[in-house]
Amino acid sequence: MSVTVTAPAGPEAPGQAAARRRPRRRWGRVLLPLYSWLIIVYLVLPIAVMVVYSFNRVTTGLPQVSFGWNGFTTKWYREWSNIPELTSSFWLSIRLGLASTLLATVVGTLLALALVRYRPPRFRGKALLEQVLFLNIAAPEIVLGASLLGLFVTINVARGFLTLVLAHVAFSIAYVAVTVRARMAGFDRSLEEAAQDLGAGPWVTFRKITLPLIMPGVLAGALMAFALSIDDFVTSNFVSGSSVPFPVWVYGATRVGIPPQVFVFGTAIFAVGILCAIASIFVGRKKA
Amino acid sequence: MEQPVLADHSGRLDGSRQGRPRLGKVLAPYLLSLPAGLWLLALFLVPLVVMLSLSLQSCNTATGACVMTWHWGEFGQELSLYHAQLVNSFYLAGAATLIDLVVSFPIAYWIAFHGGAKKNFFLLMLLVPFFVSFVIRTVVWEFILSDNGVILGGLKHAHLLPQNFHVLATGYAVVAGLAYNYLPFTALPLYVALERIDKRLLDAAYDLYATRREAFARIILPLTVPGLFAAFLLTFVPALGDYVNQQILGGTSNTMIGTVIQNAFLVNLDYAGGSALSAVLMAIALVGIFAYARLLGTRTIEEYL
Amino acid sequence: MQNRYGGDEAQHAHAIDPAIRRGLTQPRLSRRDMLKFAGAGAGALGLSALASACGVQGATGTTAKSAGVGSQSWWAKQKLHHVVNFGNWPYYIDVLNGKHPTLEHFTQLTGIKVNYTEPISNNVPFYAKIRPSLQAHQYTGYDIVVLTNNSPPLGYLINLGWLTPLDQRAMTNFYKYASPLVKNPSWDPGNKYTMAWQSGWTAIGYNSSVIPNPGSSVGVLFDKKYAGKVGMMSDPQELGSLGLLAIGVEPATSTESDWAKAATKLQQQKSDGIVRAYYDQSYIDNLKNGNTVVSQAWSGDIFQADLNSKYRDLKLLIPDEGGMHWTDNMCIPLYAQNPKDAMTLMEYYYQPQVEAVVEYYNDYVCPVPDARQVLLHPTGWAAQELAAMKPSIGLPFSTTANAPLVFPTPQYNQLSRNYYTYKSQEELTAWNNLFLPITQGA
């Protein structure tokens, strides 16, 4: 896998050769970062608007979100828990997101490991499994939701938090597996082999060698799973029973008008996400 | 010197081992994929097949009682009613996916190659906006893009746009919405594919006097192909079945097949029709995947021999 | 008494959709069979069996009538359990500091604990959620649910006998205080099954600064002057009813040929480029943002918008042809575990004091006209709660009391029109097949 190259003997000054070896410096330093930050700003734009309008005053009547600016107030942050069902739906979605992300990441990563390392004939049914994964991604959410409701009714499982977790993991596994697998596709087995040569058992090898190396992919998959879960409406609507996840409540409230506290919760979720992002810098630095 | 015991993953015996490969080794792939396999079987495949079988049944809309009548005509019926919407969806989702691929590649490239210690930060920044509920995001986009809102109003005021110009209620708004909502689905797989490219290969290429363009075209791009495939797949197919963006941002003539399916299930309670259309959607996706994998499959496998 | 099929109760069975009858002649799975399949693994025994089970067989068997549920003798045997499960739409009840004053007061008065949830985001999906329980003869988890009359599910529930008939003798408050608009309504003659929660009108919302003089006809929605800036609703019942009003037909007495003519008119409106888009509840955002200048609109939304100084130009027009009057109705699903507690709660909300508090928060059409007097001259508990809510609502009580959109005047009552009540599944299918292609056409 390693390539041995001898530098050509020649009259070049070392600096010149080095400069040619990294000609992407101009791109890398200016244009790409600028572009990337622009994209991030674009992605964050509607969230920023939401944050701004979470401080919007409501003049009279049923408190609801309004895009006509009425003045600044922190009232909605002080009265954030004013609407009991909204607050409980928010906490439900958080718990649901954490639970399903944890399960989906573990199950999906194991699956990705299997898919990357083994091929037929050692791994019979691999192709079939891959088709099933793609099918899971391709299936319209509404079919997943309706079919799961049918299943839960038939086997007489009460619809609630449990069925929500089961459903959320079911649609997240494929995304986690595909994401982790893409990361692992060029994974260098020699490190693992070296560890095992040195006497490490499979679990130790996994914990100390494999896992840290695939961690970026695993984290990406976990993030995807969490985003999918916390934002899921269609499937959740079908299998939630009388428990009401956050997106379901918000969508139902649009008939009357969504209360400003919805923007407060949205801001809170976003703030936590940003904090995680910032925290990851320090984690990354420690590793380096 | 003692011959090292090699961790042998092909199942072949080498001389220093005694007996057959341990049972654990043989079962490894199956054990690893067991949790996922079981979960998907019980909570995806079985209910899915049952639901799809509804497309062959005749259902009473009110009670939900269904009778198997092997009504293959359902597919033809639904397709003849809604083929225009299906084609529409291809155009809209396709455009959004292409935009996403073009837009995501540079940012994925930058994070992978120049992210350094802050890689995870940027990845999170790509995903965090999507932690916020789609209802909120779309309502806000509706506000931002409104005819006399912040952006368009300002441009019209400066006479840069005609007074009756509008973005909302057009196909462009739908594509923009789709591209926005599915961007992380494109960027993340691209990122992971780019990230795993061995930088030493690039160094080697430059040492061999490759230009920047050559290095990109002949090293980076080919190695990214599986990632491009994953990114395309993860974006196009869900976008094809999307309904929210078109409902809120679209006009009278951009109906996507996702909306039709949504209406079938949630307005009409026509489970047979909705299942038939969903089956068609998934069949198309599978055909596309199969064909693509054929083109890509052998090459990918060879790389890892 | 006559049921909606026009025959008497005994002939109810003969008017059932043929599809149901077909289903009844197929071999049926008993619950024990289904459990057997689940145990043996659905795969071996054939997915088709599971498929029929999932679709689930016909709804006959234990309907309310056959088990005597809802009869006076049955109600006499019911006892209070001091708990009730109430499922409603989000944000549709009074709220103060994380509590619901009217519910707290109810618990104080009666000792009945209310488990109040807000799982209903739309009529049809909610129906799809509770239907499997009803088919399996199980408790849905709700003693009271709130469904709208202009959407098929309420009709399905009534027709299929999946609602518990109300205890007429206990409905003293209702018969004393209910407004004429919600007493003996067309979708539930004699209030056998439903009591209104709130009502509203679907009429025409317009921006008075752009359209200072909209006239008084529904034709303003078809005016080519506003091409590309007209919003219509995507719900087939709302859209179709407006089409019928536009051709001068009363929806409640319309015929299928009327529907076809209405569909043609709406199709013409679309191809003339008059309609900007077919909206769900997001029509109000587009009206507020100026993307549309005239739109089908709900009365409550316009009332709310008017309270905001930025949107004061938005007004509601109830045209001469009429405004469609819809009602969100409380009803008790079959197999409810706490029916007597449910009746108590439903009756409680028909006291003027209680409705005054709800209405001050909600601003839809109040089913209890006497609540207006309470708002104008509050006393006792109601006065306390209203005073507590005033800082966050910020409205003088008289504004709510004098709003015709909350307490309709006789003139408004005259302009109210009822939705068509479908007599069979085929009729509903025919209606949807005429109007859905307009909203979801390519």
Side-chain angles (χ1 to χ4, degrees):
Chain A
M1 195 60 178
S2 59
V3 179
T4 346
V5 176
T6 48
E12 269 184 325
Q16 249 186 319
R20 205 181 344 104
R21 260 201 294 279
R22 285 185 294 280
R24 304 188 299 289
R25 195 164 260 177
R26 184 170 44 99
W27 281 93
R29 280 274 165 89
V30 179
L31 284 166
L32 275 183
L34 186 65
Y35 176 82
S36 302
W37 276 108
L38 272 176
I39 296 295
I40 291 181
V41 165
Y42 166 69
L43 284 178
V44 171
L45 185 62
I47 315 298
V49 172
M50 175 195 76
V51 173
V52 167
Y53 279 96
S54 69
F55 293 100
N56 191 7
R57 274 180 63 219
V58 169
T59 43
T60 48
L62 185 70
Q64 49 179 256
V65 157
S66 160
F67 285 116
W69 186 256
N70 286 318
F72 182 89
T73 177
T74 56
K75 175 174 181 175
W76 312 117
Y77 285 86
R78 283 176 276 131
E79 296 181 3
W80 65 276
S81 59
N82 205 25
I83 303 166
E85 288 76 24
L86 173 59
T87 315
S88 59
S89 76
F90 173 72
W91 290 122
L92 175 76
S93 281
I94 296 288
R95 292 196 317 267
L96 175 62
L98 290 174
S100 66
T101 302
L102 191 64
L103 283 171
T105 308
V106 168
V107 173
T109 305
L110 291 176
L111 179 64
L113 283 171
L115 288 175
V116 166
R117 292 183 181 192
Y118 306 105
R119 288 181 274 114
R122 258 199 87 192
F123 188 0
R124 278 188 228 279
K126 176 182 180 185
L128 182 65
L129 199 50
E130 289 176 333
Q131 302 291 3
V132 170
L133 284 181
F134 291 147
L135 205 58
N136 194 340
I137 297 174
E141 263 207 276
I142 195 153
V143 180
L144 298 179
S147 61
L148 278 172
L149 177 64
L151 173 73
F152 291 140
V153 166
T154 309
I155 63 176
N156 208 3
V157 173
R159 271 77 68 202
F161 190 76
L162 174 67
T163 52
L164 279 170
V165 174
L166 291 174
H168 280 218
V169 174
F171 66 62
S172 302
I173 293 178
Y175 287 94
V176 175
V178 170
T179 309
V180 176
R181 177 201 192 175
R183 168 70 178 86
M184 285 186 66
F187 186 67
D188 188 354
R189 305 301 304 284
S190 58
L191 286 166
E192 284 185 326
E193 291 169 6
Q196 292 189 317
D197 289 348
L198 292 167
W203 172 241
V204 177
T205 315
F206 180 76
R207 204 163 43 94
K208 297 223 149 130
I209 309 288
T210 320
L211 200 54
L213 284 172
I214 63 171
M215 193 50 89
V218 172
L219 278 178
L223 286 177
M224 185 89 95
F226 188 77
L228 285 174
S229 167
I230 203 150
D231 194 14
D232 179 67
F233 170 70
V234 180
T235 310
S236 301
N237 202 13
F238 275 107
V239 304
S240 54
S242 57
S243 59
V244 189
F246 184 69
V248 176
W249 194 96
V250 175
Y251 183 77
T254 54
R255 204 180 74 132
V256 174
I258 50 180
Q261 282 86 349
V262 168
F263 276 12
V264 172
F265 284 118
T267 308
I269 297 177
F270 184 62
V272 169
I274 298 278
L275 284 176
C276 287
I278 296 179
S280 70
I281 301 182
F282 298 109
V283 171
R285 211 171 275 168
K286 214 172 57 161
K287 277 219 169 99
Chain B
M1 183 161 133
E2 188 185 42
Q3 193 169 18
V5 176
L6 295 167
D8 191 345
H9 302 282
S10 66
R12 289 194 306 271
L13 301 170
D14 82 0
S16 57
R17 268 206 189 279
Q18 291 179 22
R20 292 174 295 146
R22 289 206 309 275
L23 192 64
K25 262 202 172 3
V26 169
L27 287 182
Y30 304 105
L31 286 175
L32 283 174
S33 49
L34 191 67
L38 279 182
W39 207 295
L40 287 174
L41 179 70
L43 291 167
F44 169 61
L45 275 183
V46 167
L48 183 74
V49 171
V50 168
M51 175 102 313
L52 291 184
S53 76
L54 284 181
S55 44
L56 296 176
Q57 302 189 18
S58 304
C59 295
N60 177 288
T61 316
T63 61
C66 292
V67 174
M68 177 56 89
T69 53
W70 298 104
H71 183 215
W72 293 99
E74 187 73 26
F75 293 101
Q77 214 180 320
E78 293 295 316
L79 278 176
S80 66
L81 281 172
Y82 300 117
H83 62 270
Q85 285 88 335
L86 196 57
V87 170
N88 229 359
S89 306
F90 264 85
Y91 284 136
L92 293 171
T97 309
L98 283 175
I99 293 177
D100 272 345
L101 283 173
V102 167
V103 167
S104 311
F105 197 93
I107 189 170
Y109 179 88
W110 182 64
I111 300 178
F113 283 84
H114 301 280
K118 302 207 204 104
K119 265 183 201 172
N120 284 336
F121 170 75
F122 289 115
L123 283 182
L124 273 166
M125 289 308 294
L126 279 181
L127 262 186
V128 167
F130 299 91
F131 285 12
V132 177
S133 171
F134 79 92
V135 180
I136 301 177
R137 286 203 310 270
T138 324
V139 160
V140 175
W141 267 120
E142 220 185 359
F143 162 65
I144 295 178
L145 291 178
S146 62
D147 290 4
N148 295 305
V150 192
I151 301 182
L152 289 186
L155 289 173
K156 284 183 187 177
H157 198 71
H159 298 290
L160 287 172
L161 282 177
Q163 287 304 310
N164 59 355
F165 182 80
H166 62 101
V167 171
L168 287 178
T170 65
Y172 299 107
V174 180
V175 172
L178 285 171
Y180 176 84
N181 278 303
Y182 291 95
L183 191 75
F185 289 64
T186 321
L188 279 182
L190 276 180
Y191 159 75
V192 294
L194 282 164
E195 208 266 341
R196 65 156 176 84
I197 292 178
D198 195 335
K199 313 293 182 287
R200 294 175 297 176
L201 289 172
L202 283 169
D203 282 342
Y206 291 127
D207 283 346
L208 292 169
Y209 296 100
T211 63
R212 198 179 71 222
R213 197 163 298 146
E214 279 179 340
F216 182 78
R218 298 177 65 178
I219 307 279
I220 295 180
L221 211 46
L223 286 174
T224 325
V225 166
L228 277 170
F229 164 43
F232 177 81
L233 173 69
L234 281 173
T235 313
F236 179 70
V237 173
L240 201 57
D242 186 87
Y243 60 95
V244 180
N245 286 288
Q246 179 267 317
Q247 247 178 6
I248 300 192
L249 303 172
T252 57
S253 57
N254 320 111
T255 312
M256 289 180 72
I257 197 72
T259 310
V260 176
I261 295 177
Q262 173 91 344
N263 281 342
F265 277 101
L266 297 184
V267 174
N268 257 345
L269 287 175
D270 176 15
Y271 280 35
S275 300
L277 284 171
S278 307
V280 168
L281 205 62
M282 284 188 276
I284 293 173
L286 270 180
V287 164
I289 293 157
F290 198 62
Y292 210 125
R294 277 268 165 204
L295 292 169
L296 225 57
T298 43
R299 221 202 298 171
T300 319
I301 290 175
E302 274 166 30
E303 265 181 304
Y304 307 124
L305 274 174
Chain C
M1 87 173 315
Q2 294 257 321
N3 73 354
R4 26 173 68 243
Y5 292 166
D8 69 66
E9 308 276 344
Q11 288 180 338
H12 181 84
H14 296 297
I16 291 178
D17 190 316
I20 301 184
R21 271 187 276 137
R22 275 200 297 276
L24 293 178
T25 58
Q26 301 291 331
R28 239 183 300 178
L29 291 168
S30 71
R31 292 202 63 198
R32 205 147 31 97
D33 291 329
M34 287 189 343
L35 288 172
K36 249 200 314 188
F37 289 143
L45 279 170
L47 289 171
S48 57
L50 191 59
S52 331
C54 276
V56 197
Q57 301 302 316
T60 60
T62 320
T63 60
K65 282 184 304 304
S66 59
V69 170
S71 64
Q72 285 303 323
S73 52
W74 182 85
W75 276 109
K77 284 189 251 163
Q78 298 306 311
K79 303 232 179 298
L80 282 179
H81 300 136
H82 298 284
V83 72
V84 66
N85 295 308
F86 184 2
N88 201 351
W89 297 69
Y91 214 28
Y92 214 15
I93 197 174
D94 51 299
V95 165
L96 183 64
N97 297 332
K99 296 201 200 314
H100 303 296
T102 52
L103 289 176
E104 303 258 306
H105 189 228
F106 174 73
T107 308
Q108 260 180 357
L109 286 178
T110 62
I112 300 176
K113 179 174 180 304
V114 183
N115 294 325
Y116 184 75
T117 51
E118 299 179 335
I120 309 180
S121 58
N122 221 326
N123 284 289
V124 176
F126 184 71
Y127 174 66
K129 275 205 289 192
I130 60 173
R131 174 172 69 182
S133 305
L134 291 166
Q135 293 226 279
H137 312 305
Q138 286 171 358
Y139 180 40
T140 57
Y142 302 102
D143 303 302
I144 309 179
V145 296
V146 177
L147 291 172
T148 325
N149 71 304
N150 68 355
S151 190
L154 188 59
Y156 291 153
L157 287 172
I158 294 179
N159 277 349
L160 295 170
W162 275 342
L163 289 180
T164 308
L166 301 179
D167 187 359
Q168 297 291 321
R169 270 196 283 195
M171 286 160 65
T172 41
N173 283 342
F174 180 79
Y175 283 113
K176 187 164 172 202
Y177 292 115
S179 98
L181 277 179
V182 303
K183 243 194 262 191
N184 198 21
S186 55
W187 64 88
D188 180 25
N191 290 99
K192 273 197 74 178
Y193 301 101
T194 66
M195 284 161 68
W197 172 253
Q198 296 278 294
S199 304
W201 282 297
T202 307
I204 301 174
Y206 67 98
N207 190 331
S208 56
S209 61
V210 176
I211 311 180
N213 211 348
S216 63
S217 161
V218 116
V220 66
L221 285 171
F222 295 81
D223 196 333
K224 292 218 167 75
K225 253 194 300 185
Y226 312 117
K229 297 206 142 243
V230 171
M232 299 293 283
M233 289 193 172
S234 58
D235 179 85
Q237 272 67 42
E238 300 275 30
L239 186 67
S241 301
L242 184 99
L244 286 168
L245 289 176
I247 61 171
V249 172
E250 274 233 24
T253 52
S254 55
T255 64
E256 261 194 68
S257 61
D258 292 326
W259 304 346
K261 292 198 209 108
T264 312
K265 183 153 174 97
L266 291 167
Q267 191 64 255
Q268 186 65 43
Q269 184 198 30
K270 180 180 179 183
S271 37
D272 284 345
I274 298 179
V275 180
R276 181 177 159 112
Y278 295 95
Y279 297 106
D280 55 9
Q281 49 263 44
S282 62
Y283 76 86
I284 188 67
D285 297 319
N286 285 276
L287 211 50
K288 284 180 180 171
N289 292 335
N291 299 333
T292 51
V293 297
V294 63
S295 173
Q296 272 188 290
W298 289 326
S299 53
D301 283 338
I302 302 294
F303 181 87
Q304 288 296 333
D306 277 349
L307 296 175
N308 188 331
S309 55
K310 284 242 158 33
Y311 304 124
R312 207 150 270 161
D313 289 333
L314 294 183
K315 303 238 177 293
L316 188 76
L317 165 69
I318 304 192
D320 295 331
E321 292 89 346
M324 301 309 300
H325 177 248
W326 51 264
T327 308
D328 287 324
N329 298 281
M330 296 187 279
C331 50
I332 306 180
L334 204 54
Y335 315 115
Q337 284 178 350
N338 311 297
K340 197 164 165 97
D341 309 77
M343 277 307 307
T344 317
L345 185 59
M346 286 163 72
E347 262 286 290
Y348 164 78
Y349 274 101
Y350 272 84
Q351 294 170 76
Q353 285 197 79
V354 179
E355 269 301 303
V357 176
V358 174
E359 219 48 62
Y360 184 58
Y361 197 81
N362 249 341
D363 301 322
Y364 268 86
V365 175
C366 188
V368 176
D370 285 349
R372 179 168 181 267
Q373 285 307 314
V374 177
L375 278 171
L376 288 173
H377 309 287
T379 56
W381 166 81
Q384 265 184 296
E385 293 302 336
L386 287 171
M389 284 165 63
K390 186 147 188 217
S392 51
I393 303 284
L395 278 179
F397 307 134
S398 53
T399 311
T400 315
N402 293 325
L405 290 182
V406 181
F407 294 100
T409 59
Q411 182 208 12
Y412 274 62
N413 284 347
Q414 267 187 334
L415 288 172
S416 280
R417 300 283 178 271
N418 288 318
Y419 290 88
Y420 183 79
T421 310
Y422 305 102
K423 298 191 201 60
S424 71
Q425 183 57 43
E426 274 91 27
E427 286 204 337
L428 176 60
T429 311
W431 175 289
N432 281 345
N433 283 343
L434 278 171
F435 295 110
L436 264 181
I438 302 176
T439 65
Q440 61 180 29

